[in-house]
Amino acid sequence: MGCWDLVAMVTDCTLPQLPRPRVRAARLPGCPRVMDSPNSQSLNFPTTSRAQLRPLGVSIDDSLITETKNTQKRKLSQKRKTLLSGSFSIGGHLSPWPRYISDQTILHNRKPCSDDYRKRAGSLQQPLGTTKPRYLEQLENYLRKELLLLDLSTDSAQELKLQPYREIFEFFIEDFKTYKPLLSSIKNAYEVMLAHQREKIRALEPLKAKLVTVNEDCNERILAMRAEERDEVSMLKKEKMNLLKLIDKKNEEKISLQTEVTKLRKNLAEEYLHYLSERDARKILIADLNELRYQREDMSLAQSPGVWGEDPVKLTVALKMARQDLTRTQMELNTMKANFGDVVPRRDFEMQEKTLKELQEQLESLRDDYEEVRKEHEMLLQLHMSTLKERDQFYSELQEIQRTSTPRPDWSKCEDVVAGGRDRWHMLAEGKNSDQLVDVLLEEIGEGLLREKDFFTGLGYGESIPPFLRFDGMVENKKPTKKEVVKLLKNAWKERITEEQKEKFPDFFFSFLERHFGPGDAMAWAYTIFEYIKLFHTNEVMSQFYAVLMGKRKESVYIKQMETIAQLLKEMTNIDSQNEGLLTVEQLSTVLRSAFPFKKDERIQELMETAGWHPSISNADLLDYRMLFMEDEEGQSVPFVQKLWEQYTVEKDEYLNELKQELGLELKEEVTLPKVREALMNIDPSLDKQTLNHYLRQAFQLPMTEMPEEGEEREEGIVTQLQTALEQLQMNDIRRMGPREQEAAS
């Protein structure tokens, strides 16, 4: 296997374990044919001689190339024969190297030329004492000789250096026939790659020459630019020197001109003094001439007959003094006119100021009177409007009654039927119309029937049955009084408000009964209380508890109403500094307008009238505000609290009607969430984002996690019927947060 190992080292690969062929003696003396296979083909590949390498960029005729190749083949065959003329086998066979080396010396997937391979081969060869094959030594000697004969000083030194290696590789290909196709394909791949690289180099040669030309042109342009810059710099330096000389010349001219200006100023001052003295002398001369003329006139007057007999000199002096006094007086008069031309006497000023103060006081008094009259006028207008509305309402009711009325019942007949007799019936019927009296009478009759019942029949366990009534069988009637039921419901509301973890209201109600009466009696009390609150519609506590318990109204409505009443009472108490329980009519009106800033004036007027105001009392009269929040023993509130609840219900209906009108849809039509959002913002622009989202969640019955943000695409997919949305909003606490745009503008 010596030749197989040699091939493995040359090809740098692990050879497969093939059956060992018999090795025959080489055709040439001393050169065996390795693994001569009958199917192997002799492939001849062209080689290139070192002497016949053509320079790059030169094209040669094809016939010349073919002849050159044939010549190279003949020379290569002669060299191979010369190389193989010596005997390098033992006994006519291939050299056994390194067959007799231990199996540990066989390469295991290592490159023959690597450092590890050399170290391993060196460490193994020395102890075994083996020598290289003669064929390998001859190849190495041939390679060294050829390399020494090369002239490496030329430009194509690398091409020449590659030729001996190419010849050695050709020898291998010819001797190892079994691997000749593989080695030939490897050699062809390298030759194709080298030819490709030569073509690329040949194509880049013109670019290199062009690059050299461009480089030379750029250098020449740079040198020319530098020369121009030097000329320009020298010209600028000369110009600079000329400018410096010009500046020096101008500075000298400036100094000479400054000297001349100083001299001219001095001459001007002298001339000015000269002219001043001349002017003064002229004035003195004119004065002397005038004096002489006056003296001559005086003397002429004195010499004429019929003139005073006084001394002319004295008269002259007196005339001179009089003229001086006249001049001085004229100057003082001009000064007084200039300084005090627009000044009035102090006495007139004080009189006018006093008159102004009196008029201002009268104006303030008249303004106060006007404000009082205006307020009274506004109140009278409001009263007049409310009276007109009541008149119209009463008239319409009268017309309706006249059209559809039956003979008025004699309610006095109920005195003997109702428990408590005449006095209790009068207390129940006070201030109620016929419809309300029918409700009262039905409640009294129903209460009597309830007390006669000892047991209730269970409603069963159906899904339509409320959870706190799901029972099958007979349930005991606890027969409480109306007062006890109201007290129990108020305690339930107190616990519900203070509850931390909110559960559903029906479940809370049953848990409350279990905590107070135990699990055994909880169902009986649930049926008893349910029958009571279903019967008494006129009782506020029972009717509201029944509405919340049956899901007809949200509990937040009742809680918010109680908070509003408590806040109103707190504000009235804060204004009552003396803690007497009394407020003036004006104070009460102020508190109501502050607590309900968006209520209309006629509704504030209704609350004032319910609280005890009437046109005959003044704003300073006192009202007992604590009486406005009292309750009787059955939980019935006074008319003031009832009016607040009534106005809240009316305002909610008006709010929802405005929403319906803004949407412009019928009740059976469907509406999307963005349309409801837009309509709410139009009728109530003061809505904040949190309250608006709460209203939308209630209208469309959406959990908080599924509520889309404004502008999302899935908003258009949330649709419900308008009637359903309005019913859901009616059940919740819905109220106006601010005026509409037109109301705010007015």
Side-chain angles (χ1 to χ4, degrees):
M1 291 295 293
C3 293
W4 287 89
D5 296 336
L6 181 61
V7 172
M9 288 187 292
V10 172
T11 59
D12 191 14
C13 62
T14 304
L15 298 176
Q17 296 294 330
L18 300 175
R20 297 185 179 182
R22 293 185 179 181
V23 181
R24 294 180 300 175
R27 286 185 299 106
L28 298 176
C31 182
R33 293 186 64 179
V34 180
M35 298 176 61
D36 193 1
S37 175
N39 296 327
S40 62
Q41 299 178 359
S42 176
L43 300 176
N44 295 325
F45 298 96
T47 57
T48 304
S49 176
R50 294 188 306 275
Q52 306 240 346
L53 286 174
R54 65 177 180 266
L56 295 175
V58 180
S59 60
I60 304 174
D61 191 9
D62 292 339
S63 59
L64 181 61
I65 293 174
T66 305
E67 184 179 356
T68 304
K69 287 182 179 180
N70 295 332
T71 306
Q72 289 176 356
K73 284 184 178 181
R74 289 193 300 270
K75 290 183 178 181
L76 184 61
S77 177
Q78 293 175 1
K79 289 182 179 181
R80 182 172 174 272
K81 291 178 180 180
T82 305
L83 180 64
L84 300 178
S85 59
S87 176
F88 55 92
S89 61
I90 302 174
H93 294 83
L94 291 174
S95 173
W97 186 86
R99 186 179 61 182
Y100 301 110
I101 301 174
S102 173
D103 292 339
Q104 296 179 358
T105 62
I106 302 300
L107 295 175
H108 298 282
N109 294 332
R110 288 183 175 85
K111 294 181 179 181
C113 298
S114 62
D115 295 337
D116 183 47
Y117 169 77
R118 294 192 186 96
K119 292 179 181 180
R120 189 177 182 90
S123 60
L124 292 175
Q125 288 177 3
Q126 291 179 1
L128 295 176
T130 59
T131 59
K132 292 182 180 180
R134 183 175 299 173
Y135 183 60
L136 178 59
E137 290 180 355
Q138 289 178 355
L139 291 176
E140 289 177 351
N141 293 332
Y142 176 77
L143 178 62
R144 282 195 295 272
K145 289 178 182 179
E146 292 294 327
L147 290 175
L148 290 175
L149 294 174
L150 292 177
D151 185 10
L152 301 179
S153 61
T154 61
D155 294 337
S156 58
Q158 294 297 328
E159 291 280 348
L160 297 175
K161 190 175 181 180
L162 182 62
Q163 185 61 29
Y165 292 97
R166 184 182 285 112
E167 294 175 357
I168 295 296
F169 197 53
E170 287 286 346
F171 297 159
F172 269 104
I173 292 173
E174 293 297 329
D175 288 333
F176 296 98
K177 300 297 182 178
T178 302
Y179 298 97
K180 184 175 181 179
L182 177 61
L183 295 177
S184 298
S185 61
I186 293 172
K187 178 179 178 297
N188 287 340
Y190 276 102
E191 291 292 341
V192 170
M193 187 62 190
L194 287 174
H196 176 65
Q197 295 297 329
R198 288 192 189 97
E199 292 296 329
K200 288 179 68 176
I201 293 171
R202 187 179 299 110
L204 291 176
E205 283 295 328
L207 294 178
K208 181 178 178 182
K210 186 176 180 180
L211 181 62
V212 172
T213 305
V214 171
N215 188 17
E216 292 176 356
D217 293 341
C218 291
N219 290 332
E220 291 177 358
R221 291 174 62 185
I222 291 171
L223 293 176
M225 291 174 66
R226 287 179 179 176
E228 291 178 0
E229 288 177 356
R230 283 195 297 270
D231 296 339
E232 187 176 356
V233 168
S234 62
M235 290 176 64
L236 290 174
K237 287 182 178 180
K238 291 179 181 179
E239 187 177 356
K240 176 185 174 184
M241 295 303 296
N242 294 331
L243 291 175
L244 288 175
K245 291 178 181 179
L246 182 60
I247 290 171
D248 293 338
K249 184 178 179 181
K250 294 296 181 181
N251 287 333
E252 292 176 359
E253 292 179 358
K254 178 183 175 182
I255 293 171
S256 62
L257 291 174
Q258 286 179 349
T259 305
E260 187 175 355
V261 168
T262 304
K263 184 178 179 181
L264 291 174
R265 284 180 179 177
K266 185 177 180 182
N267 294 336
L268 180 60
E270 292 176 355
E271 290 294 330
Y272 180 72
L273 293 176
H274 176 69
Y275 285 129
L276 284 177
S277 61
E278 289 290 338
R279 187 195 64 178
D280 295 339
R282 183 174 177 273
K283 287 182 178 180
I284 294 172
L285 181 59
I286 291 171
D288 292 342
L289 290 174
N290 290 333
E291 184 70 22
L292 291 174
R293 188 181 61 187
Y294 294 149
Q295 288 179 4
R296 188 180 62 181
E297 290 177 357
D298 293 340
M299 290 178 68
S300 63
L301 289 174
Q303 291 177 0
S304 62
V307 184
W308 309 284
E310 295 185 6
D311 188 6
V313 177
K314 183 178 180 181
L315 290 174
T316 302
V317 174
L319 179 60
K320 184 178 180 180
M321 294 300 296
R323 287 176 177 170
Q324 291 179 358
D325 293 338
L326 177 62
T327 304
R328 184 173 62 254
T329 304
Q330 188 69 32
M331 293 177 62
E332 290 179 358
L333 179 61
N334 293 335
T335 304
M336 293 294 290
K337 286 182 178 180
N339 293 336
F340 303 100
D342 54 350
V343 177
V344 297
R346 185 176 185 84
R347 181 180 58 186
D348 297 342
F349 172 73
E350 291 177 353
M351 290 178 63
Q352 294 295 332
E353 188 177 15
K354 183 178 180 182
T355 305
L356 177 62
K357 287 183 179 179
E358 292 176 356
L359 292 175
Q360 286 180 346
E361 291 176 358
Q362 293 178 5
L363 178 62
E364 293 295 332
S365 177
L366 291 174
R367 282 180 178 173
D368 295 338
D369 296 340
Y370 170 74
E371 287 295 328
E372 292 181 1
V373 172
R374 188 181 62 80
K375 291 180 180 178
E376 292 177 1
H377 176 67
E378 290 179 355
M379 294 177 68
L380 290 174
L381 284 177
Q382 294 174 1
L383 180 61
H384 178 66
M385 295 300 294
S386 62
T387 306
L388 289 178
K389 289 182 179 179
E390 290 179 359
R391 185 198 66 180
D392 296 339
Q393 182 180 358
F394 292 154
Y395 181 76
S396 61
E397 290 178 358
L398 177 61
Q399 295 292 330
E400 184 68 21
I401 290 171
Q402 288 177 353
R403 187 176 61 84
T404 61
S405 64
T406 58
R408 182 175 177 80
D410 186 6
W411 295 107
S412 60
K413 296 178 182 180
C414 301
E415 296 175 356
D416 299 331
V417 178
V418 176
R422 176 183 299 178
D423 296 336
R424 188 166 184 273
W425 173 251
H426 283 300
M427 183 185 68
L428 293 174
E430 183 180 2
K432 292 182 173 63
N433 55 28
S434 298
D435 188 28
Q436 294 173 345
L437 288 175
V438 171
D439 292 337
V440 172
L441 185 59
L442 291 175
E443 289 176 2
E444 290 295 324
I445 296 172
E447 186 179 4
L449 295 175
L450 278 178
R451 289 190 176 279
E452 292 177 0
K453 278 188 177 182
D454 294 329
F455 295 95
F456 299 108
T457 303
L459 300 178
Y461 294 95
E463 294 183 357
S464 60
I465 306 300
F468 58 91
L469 296 179
R470 291 177 182 173
F471 185 78
D472 193 7
M474 302 302 295
V475 182
E476 181 185 0
N477 183 6
K478 294 298 181 178
K479 299 180 180 180
T481 62
K482 192 175 180 181
K483 180 180 178 181
E484 291 174 348
V485 174
V486 170
K487 184 178 179 181
L488 188 64
L489 295 180
K490 287 186 176 181
N491 291 335
W493 276 119
K494 290 180 182 178
E495 287 195 16
R496 181 62 173 175
I497 293 173
T498 57
E499 187 180 24
E500 294 182 359
Q501 295 183 355
K502 298 288 184 182
E503 54 183 337
K504 292 183 178 179
F505 195 80
D507 298 336
F508 159 77
F509 175 62
F510 193 75
S511 301
F512 170 78
L513 295 177
E514 286 182 338
R515 289 194 297 271
H516 282 73
F517 303 107
D521 292 338
M523 187 59 68
W525 276 100
Y527 269 86
T528 302
I529 292 174
F530 178 74
E531 293 295 334
Y532 266 82
I533 62 179
K534 184 174 67 173
L535 176 64
F536 292 100
H537 297 288
T538 59
N539 188 280
E540 296 177 7
V541 178
M542 292 187 183
S543 61
Q544 293 191 14
F545 197 90
Y546 176 76
V548 174
L549 191 63
M550 299 306 294
K552 298 179 180 179
R553 186 181 301 149
K554 297 293 184 181
E555 58 183 296
S556 60
V557 177
Y558 177 81
I559 295 173
K560 184 64 177 179
Q561 188 68 14
M562 293 298 103
E563 290 177 355
T564 303
I565 295 172
Q567 182 65 25
L568 184 60
L569 178 60
K570 182 180 178 181
E571 291 184 8
M572 292 182 181
T573 307
N574 292 336
I575 293 179
D576 184 14
S577 58
Q578 302 296 331
N579 198 17
E580 297 175 351
L582 300 174
L583 289 178
T584 63
V585 175
E586 187 175 0
Q587 288 176 338
L588 180 61
S589 176
T590 303
V591 171
L592 290 176
R593 292 181 186 279
S594 174
F596 307 106
F598 308 119
K599 278 187 182 295
K600 297 180 180 179
D601 293 337
E602 54 267 21
R603 289 186 179 147
I604 296 291
Q605 189 68 26
E606 290 178 1
L607 292 175
M608 293 289 294
E609 292 175 359
T610 309
W613 176 86
H614 52 85
S616 61
I617 66 175
S618 64
N619 291 337
D621 291 340
L622 298 176
L623 297 175
D624 188 358
Y625 66 87
R626 293 177 182 173
M627 296 297 296
L628 304 178
F629 303 93
M630 299 296 291
E631 292 182 353
D632 59 10
E633 59 183 6
E634 293 183 353
Q636 203 68 14
S637 302
V638 295
F640 181 78
V641 177
Q642 294 177 6
K643 180 61 70 173
L644 284 175
W645 174 255
E646 178 185 343
Q647 288 186 358
Y648 168 73
T649 306
V650 172
E651 288 169 357
K652 183 193 288 187
D653 293 339
E654 292 177 352
Y655 190 81
L656 295 178
N657 286 332
E658 288 183 18
L659 178 61
K660 180 177 177 298
Q661 293 176 2
E662 184 70 25
L663 290 171
L665 301 174
E666 296 296 331
L667 293 176
K668 299 299 182 180
E669 295 185 59
E670 291 186 342
V671 63
T672 60
L673 189 144
K675 288 185 178 179
V676 178
R677 184 196 299 274
E678 183 181 359
L680 285 172
M681 290 305 298
N682 289 336
I683 66 172
D684 196 358
S686 301
L687 274 176
D688 57 277
K689 185 177 180 181
Q690 183 178 359
T691 307
L692 177 62
N693 289 337
H694 174 69
Y695 288 177
L696 294 175
R697 287 200 308 272
Q698 298 301 329
F700 291 88
Q701 292 295 291
L702 294 174
M704 185 177 295
T705 55
E706 297 181 6
M707 181 65 189
E709 293 293 334
E710 184 176 1
E712 291 187 12
E713 295 182 358
R714 59 193 183 101
E715 271 190 328
E716 296 293 340
I718 301 176
V719 182
T720 188
Q721 200 174 42
L722 178 59
Q723 184 177 2
T724 305
L726 294 178
E727 289 175 355
Q728 292 296 329
L729 291 175
Q730 183 70 39
M731 293 169 53
N732 286 272
D733 179 38
I734 305 297
R735 60 186 68 215
R736 182 175 292 281
M737 294 299 171
R740 295 193 71 160
E741 293 182 358
Q742 58 267 25
E743 295 175 1
S746 62

